Amino acid sequence: MSMQVSSYDLIHEDRQKGIFRVNRQALTSDDVLALERERIFKRCWLYLGHASEVRKPGDFVTRKVMRRPIIFNRDKHGELRAFYNTCPHRGAQVCRERAGSAKSFQCAYHGWTFDNDGGLRGVPGRESYPKDFNANGMYDLPEVQRMESYCDFVFVNFDAGAESLEDYLGGAKDYLQLIALQSKVGMEVISGTQEYHARANWKLLLENSADGYHALTTHATYFDYLKERDGKAAVENNKGKSVFNKPFGQVIDLGNGHTVSESDGAIPWGRPIARFRPGMGEAAREAIEEVRRQLVDRLGEERARIVAEKDFNMLVFPNLAVLNIMAVTVRTFYPLAPDKMDVRAWALGPQDEAATLRDLRMRNFVEFLGPAGFATPDDVEMLELCQEGYQCQPGADWNDLSRGMLTEHEHAAKQDEMQMRNFWRRWRQMLASDDRVSFKIAS
Ligand code: FES
Ligand code: FE
């Protein structure tokens, strides 16, 4: 049996009573996923990559953005480009490498050749086509409708009429700047991509990426390890207080469904530019002090403090998480099915980083958030446990996200759930946009 509902029926929000619940059909229904593809992924700005991945003219990487294979490259004029990786002849993927440098791309099927600026250069049997074949460029490599970047974060949009990336990002821009300011010569993706699947709905990782209070239970092993390795200081904030004693940090609505959960120097297992921690090893002490001195010279005391010490997990709607904790992790994830997602994550670091600090950064990146680290396998296990629980529909039908709901306008704490509610409100609005077309769910 099925019934027609809209996204508004899938979210139960009662501001007076302080209740916010999401119907689990939002995490299991094929119809919901089909609508998300149409109304969210075809309209929003989606993260493609970082400019440092294609540093020199000719450099390219290939990757999928919402199932669409894309060539992200820097053309011979030094411009960033995003092409659909499909031959205008009969559709084969023109570039089959994951990364490299190329002046041109030759399709493996019939041998059409394209310049790295997308222009069609060679067609076997050219004499059998009209003289003005491709005079209007209709057989050049097709370009993605929109590509724009901000602070070297490059995004695409499949909607030619979409608002500009900067308007879309809104308050998220300030936080991307805080990443970019970490180096005077620019940040870079440190080679290597973390890739994994999880048997869970993609939105569960969105929620988890800024879930401010699961760590104590889900990641208990990690804190035990830290305490054993570095002593009590390992879990103390910059005021010498245990971070477990009192809630800390805040959540800020950045507009358009983006949210940041942040704290100033309160997280003790910080990034290798913030401050020295015992577990980092003595060699790092001097290097960290030097980084801080340079930041102060370049940005002044106060701005330098913010860049060095503000830890944050930012969610950029719909599926980008920028995690400025321990290292800088850029993570994106796409649905393969309602109960399966594909995750990609990269580490960013200053291009001019000292070797000791780069080692530390990579250790943090792999040790905590890596697919075989202390955190990610635990998180994935939790998400899969949740997804499995959603089999109990109908009967057990709602997820709760009410924590801090009654006070979210005056104060939203990191340990509350405003970051998730903010996402879901935007989700609800986008899915219902225009005509509130309804879709079927099982009942
Ligand atoms: Fe590419 Fe034919 S499909 S040359
Ligand atoms: Fe976690």
Side-chain angles (χ1 to χ4, degrees):
M1 222 179 53
S2 66
M3 59 190 274
Q4 299 283 328
V5 300
S6 94
S7 59
Y8 277 79
D9 301 312
L10 293 181
I11 293 180
H12 167 211
E13 178 168 15
D14 186 331
R15 284 179 188 267
Q16 234 108 56
K17 292 202 175 107
I19 295 292
F20 192 103
R21 299 194 303 161
V22 174
N23 190 288
R24 293 174 178 174
Q25 285 291 327
L27 300 156
T28 55
S29 152
D30 286 314
D31 277 6
V32 168
L33 176 55
L35 210 57
E36 287 174 342
R37 287 193 165 122
E38 279 307 307
R39 302 205 155 179
I40 293 178
F41 290 104
K42 281 191 187 164
R43 293 178 179 182
C44 290
W45 284 95
L46 305 173
Y47 181 68
L48 173 63
H50 191 265
S52 66
E53 294 179 87
V54 290
R55 216 175 291 226
K56 298 186 299 298
D59 287 356
F60 69 85
V61 296
T62 56
R63 60 184 49 140
K64 284 189 182 169
V65 174
M66 195 59 210
R67 301 195 289 186
R68 299 184 182 207
I70 289 175
I71 303 172
F72 170 40
N73 78 339
R74 198 176 284 276
D75 70 16
K76 58 188 176 190
H77 310 293
E79 298 294 323
L80 291 174
R81 308 290 290 265
F83 298 105
Y84 284 124
N85 191 3
T86 176
C87 184
H89 183 217
R90 296 251 282 284
Q93 284 185 52
V94 167
C95 180
R96 295 185 293 169
E97 313 291 320
R98 290 188 55 146
S101 180
K103 289 201 169 89
S104 61
F105 301 102
Q106 184 175 44
C107 180
Y109 196 1
H110 311 92
W112 284 27
T113 309
F114 306 88
D115 219 336
N116 66 13
D117 64 3
L120 177 66
R121 286 291 163 268
V123 178
R126 175 70 184 82
E127 61 287 354
S128 307
Y129 292 93
K131 267 208 175 52
D132 62 351
F133 187 69
N134 201 36
N136 56 5
M138 72 190 276
Y139 295 108
D140 290 343
L141 267 186
E143 253 182 295
V144 177
Q145 288 87 336
R146 298 280 294 280
M147 186 205 64
E148 288 173 25
S149 70
Y150 187 77
C151 285
D152 288 341
F153 288 81
V154 184
F155 293 75
V156 287
N157 198 310
F158 303 134
D159 175 3
E163 63 186 325
S164 72
L165 174 66
E166 292 207 24
D167 287 349
Y168 178 84
L169 288 174
K173 284 188 299 187
D174 295 347
Y175 289 83
L176 294 181
Q177 271 180 32
L178 288 182
I179 303 278
L181 285 171
Q182 290 174 24
S183 167
K184 68 173 185 302
V185 293
M187 298 292 277
E188 64 181 353
V189 166
I190 301 163
S191 71
T193 306
Q194 295 180 351
E195 300 181 13
Y196 50 97
H197 288 177
R199 288 186 305 275
N201 187 273
W202 66 279
K203 300 185 289 299
L204 293 188
L205 187 54
L206 188 287
E207 289 184 350
N208 172 265
S209 296
D211 183 312
Y213 69 99
H214 73 290
L216 268 185
T217 38
T218 304
H219 305 310
T221 335
Y222 180 66
F223 299 116
D224 290 345
Y225 157 74
L226 274 191
K227 278 187 272 188
E228 197 165 311
R229 193 187 73 184
D230 305 338
K232 220 161 49 62
V235 292
E236 283 174 351
N237 65 18
N238 53 357
K239 302 202 171 65
K241 296 263 178 343
S242 165
V243 291
F244 301 136
N245 287 350
K246 194 150 96 42
F248 61 94
Q250 56 181 337
V251 173
I252 302 168
D253 176 355
L254 301 172
N256 291 344
H258 319 312
T259 317
V260 73
S261 156
E262 61 166 41
S263 57
D264 275 331
I267 296 182
W269 41 94
R271 288 163 293 125
I273 70 166
R275 63 209 156 89
F276 176 73
R277 309 295 312 172
M280 292 175 173
E282 270 309 304
R285 185 191 293 272
E286 215 174 292
I288 288 180
E289 283 165 6
E290 178 56 27
V291 168
R292 187 64 173 254
R293 266 195 300 277
Q294 287 181 11
L295 280 177
V296 172
D297 283 354
R298 184 158 54 89
L299 306 169
E301 196 72 54
E302 180 54 14
R303 192 80 172 137
R305 191 190 61 74
I306 292 172
V307 169
E309 294 195 9
K310 193 184 280 291
D311 297 305
F312 60 83
N313 291 21
M314 177 167 66
L315 305 176
V316 177
F317 190 92
N319 66 335
L320 173 67
V322 179
L323 311 174
N324 191 45
I325 50 162
M326 311 187 65
V328 180
T329 301
V330 178
R331 178 197 266 172
T332 183
F333 31 92
Y334 286 95
L336 297 170
D339 59 354
K340 191 165 184 197
M341 75 177 118
D342 185 25
V343 188
R344 294 280 180 276
W346 299 269
L348 279 183
Q351 285 177 25
D352 52 348
E353 189 160 55
T356 24
L357 300 187
R358 180 55 65 89
D359 285 352
L360 202 53
R361 175 180 299 277
M362 290 316 285
R363 199 170 81 197
N364 280 351
F365 178 60
V366 173
E367 186 179 81
F368 190 68
L369 286 173
F374 273 102
T376 295
D378 290 343
D379 283 322
V380 167
E381 190 182 340
M382 294 308 126
L383 308 191
E384 292 184 345
L385 281 176
C386 293
Q387 194 72 38
E388 199 61 25
Y390 304 154
Q391 295 294 329
C392 306
Q393 299 176 82
D397 300 300
W398 295 89
N399 276 357
D400 182 81
L401 294 161
S402 305
R403 186 166 168 167
M405 169 93 169
L406 279 177
T407 53
E408 78 175 26
H409 293 298
E410 306 89 68
H411 172 75
K414 215 172 137 140
Q415 291 74 14
D416 290 347
E417 287 163 335
M418 194 268 254
Q419 53 276 53
M420 296 93 174
R421 292 192 291 272
N422 210 20
F423 169 85
W424 281 108
R425 286 177 185 132
R426 180 69 173 164
W427 177 91
R428 168 177 68 188
Q429 185 188 28
M430 290 206 73
L431 246 55
S433 54
D434 314 329
D435 48 359
R436 286 187 57 155
V437 165
S438 61
F439 45 88
K440 279 194 280 217
I441 62 168
S443 66

